[in-house]
Amino acid sequence: MVLLSTREILRADTVFWPGEEIAVQDVVETMNQADSGKGWIGKWRKMTEETRNRQTTWLTPLVTETPRLEQRIRYDIYDQTLPSGNKRWDMGAGKGVNLIVGPTMEFAFSLPQYMYYPGEGRLDGFLGESFLIKNRIMASPEGQKNYVFSVMLAAHSPLGQTLPDYPAHWIWDPIVLFGKGFGNFDFMINLGSQWADGANRTFGIPYFYNIALQYRIGYVTPTIEINSTSSIDQLFFIGAPGLFVTPEVLVGRFRFKDDWKLYFGIGYQIAIDKKTVEKEYSNAFVVKFHLLF
């Protein structure tokens, strides 16, 4: 039997989990520590700072959703090559404003998403809004256990112009998110399903998964992702329609005022097989912009 000294126990790595983070006293203490002269905004800012300090500092990939809680304005643009060889521009890509609304909770809503088909104006139009709520279950900062585990529910509304291949139904995505780091290297995994109100026969019973591998080198983070939009009756890693590989580079974060930071991403998404080309698109040039606050 090995007995740990008091000093060894106190040096153990910290893991933040719901029993610690969601307790009412934690919220009250965090808010009360803020400068009372700044009012509720100052208290909220203090809470978001404490929340971010309880997790890792990995950068968010282009496609894979991070398990971290983020506070940002994000805008993505996809230049897609369709099976016909024509182009389609996805401006916004369902991304927008993310807000930390509690010690373990994040809420987000998309900026207007516009689909542009060059030379085919009749197909152009806005898609509906996207919303998400994320709950961080467990986290440990870098230098300690270096991981994050969260769950998320995303919703996509049918509002806006109905375009080809975009169903006029609410779509719901329950997702499990996990990430683990080892020094400058980290990986993130998403595993989720997708359901529509009244159109599940169109979707089958779809699942999807995203995997991102990163290695940080100063302000530059080379990343490679595998992204899927598969169906439960096509349980294949290779060969199922809707499978992409995305090599990319993330650059940042650049601080320019207090907690305000910028970073960018650029990548090239490639369909892995013929089925993906026929169902989705053959490739896409992707850029993204993040403003953290």
Side-chain angles (χ1 to χ4, degrees), residues 29 39 68 71 121 143 155 175 193 224 226 235 273 276 287 291:
E29 289 174 4
R68 304 172 62 256
Q71 189 151 278
I175 308 173
S193 184
I224 189 164
I226 295 175
L235 288 171
D273 57 20
T276 299
V287 295
L291 174 62

Side-chain angles (χ1 to χ4, degrees), residues 47 64 70 130 133 261:
M47 182 271 292
T64 303
E70 296 229 86
S130 296
I133 186 164
K261 305 181 186 72

Side-chain angles (χ1 to χ4, degrees), residues 62-78:
L62 291 178
V63 184
T64 303
E65 178 67 33
T66 178
R68 304 172 62 256
L69 300 185
E70 296 229 86
Q71 189 151 278
R72 69 192 181 194
I73 299 173
R74 175 177 174 178
Y75 196 78
D76 290 19
I77 299 175
Y78 281 65

Side-chain angles (χ1 to χ4, degrees), residues 100-153:
I100 296 174
V101 296
T104 63
M105 298 293 292
E106 173 191 320
F107 173 76
F109 59 91
S110 65
L111 295 172
Q113 181 179 1
Y114 188 76
M115 306 299 292
Y116 171 57
Y117 294 76
E120 301 181 60
R122 62 184 177 82
L123 301 178
D124 300 347
F126 287 96
L127 297 187
E129 280 292 303
S130 296
F131 306 90
L132 71 81
I133 186 164
K134 184 189 300 181
N135 181 26
R136 193 180 68 201
I137 303 298
M138 301 179 70
S140 182
E142 285 143 316
Q144 298 187 14
K145 295 184 182 300
N146 196 9
Y147 72 89
V148 185
F149 172 58
S150 300
V151 293
M152 186 179 89
L153 178 64

